[in-house]
Amino acid sequence: MARKKVKYVFDYDSEFLNENDVKKLALSVTHDKDKSEKILDCLFTAEATDEQIAEATGIKLNLVRKMLYKMYDIGMANYTRKKDPETQWFTYYWKFDSKKTATILEEQYNHHKEEIEESLEYEENNMFFVCPNGCRYSFDEATDYQFICPRCDKRLDYKDNSDVISDLKKLGSAYDIE
């Protein structure tokens, strides 16, 4: 049976919120693409209980709860708790938290951007030497080892890293890194 297409409409305006990145984030937390997408579809449709989500998705209730709590732990989902006056039992109503999710995605973006910038700077400011087995050392490390690989006892030769720099610049272009 084909799944109904759900339109992801965010109640918080952010350049970091888009359906694809939200699904990737959920997958990184739950490690189950199909189930996490089904649960997200329910959370985008309306505020829902874990029982309603389990019924709508066909996923076992304990698994729905486990995934919802994983999403809750990082802030992707929130709940409100209401007490039934007759039974005194609590019912949890779950919803997607777009503001917190946008913050998480922005932090990930900035972290990746910073890593790429640091790697690019390191590659541009160093010369590298490699052994026949692929062990790679900066010039300072190579001189410390007298241009002999300490792992395999083979000679270290200069390795042009312009291809690495080029790859980092291409990767960085998605983050506006020159």
Side-chain angles (χ1 to χ4, degrees):
M1 175 167 83
R3 222 163 72 205
K4 183 177 121 183
K5 179 70 176 151
V6 174
K7 181 155 175 59
Y8 283 57
V9 179
F10 302 102
D11 62 355
Y12 179 75
D13 187 30
S14 170
E15 65 181 292
F16 298 100
L17 278 178
N18 63 65
E19 182 177 343
N20 189 41
D21 288 344
V22 169
K23 287 181 177 182
K24 281 184 196 175
L25 180 60
L27 172 62
S28 73
V29 173
T30 64
H31 307 292
D32 189 322
K33 182 179 183 199
D34 186 52
K35 290 180 178 75
S36 65
E37 285 183 9
K38 287 178 180 178
I39 291 170
L40 278 176
D41 287 350
C42 287
L43 294 177
F44 273 101
T45 305
E47 189 175 60
T49 66
D50 46 6
E51 290 92 354
Q52 291 168 333
I53 293 171
E55 186 178 316
T57 60
I59 303 170
K60 290 181 179 179
L61 181 59
N62 64 337
L63 202 53
V64 168
R65 286 178 177 157
K66 183 178 179 181
M67 290 187 164
L68 285 170
Y69 280 114
K70 284 182 179 183
M71 291 179 190
Y72 172 79
D73 284 344
I74 68 161
M76 278 186 80
N78 278 319
Y79 62 84
T80 53
R81 188 173 76 162
K82 296 179 183 167
K83 191 174 194 177
D84 184 317
E86 290 179 21
T87 64
Q88 299 297 307
W89 286 53
F90 287 105
T91 302
Y92 293 82
Y93 292 89
W94 293 87
K95 66 179 183 175
F96 177 76
D97 188 336
S98 57
K99 186 173 183 177
K100 179 63 177 174
T101 301
T103 303
I104 295 165
L105 291 171
E106 183 177 4
E107 287 170 358
Q108 286 182 345
Y109 175 91
N110 290 333
H111 178 73
H112 292 151
K113 180 179 179 180
E114 189 176 297
E115 284 181 333
I116 294 168
E117 287 172 341
E118 288 173 3
S119 295
L120 182 59
E121 182 180 345
Y122 181 73
E123 290 294 327
E124 288 177 333
N125 294 324
N126 286 288
M127 289 176 31
F128 294 93
F129 292 81
V130 296
C131 72
N133 293 323
C135 301
R136 185 173 186 246
Y137 302 95
S138 68
F139 177 77
D140 291 339
E141 293 170 320
T143 55
D144 288 346
Y145 299 130
Q146 299 176 352
F147 295 92
I148 302 293
C149 179
R151 294 185 186 145
C152 58
D153 212 29
K154 305 278 184 188
R155 193 179 86 189
L156 297 173
D157 293 316
Y158 172 74
K159 171 73 171 141
D160 179 32
N161 66 336
S162 59
D163 54 339
V164 175
I165 292 170
S166 175
D167 289 346
L168 285 169
K169 284 182 178 180
K170 285 179 191 171
L171 189 58
S173 67
Y175 296 91
D176 300 324
I177 299 171
E178 296 294 321

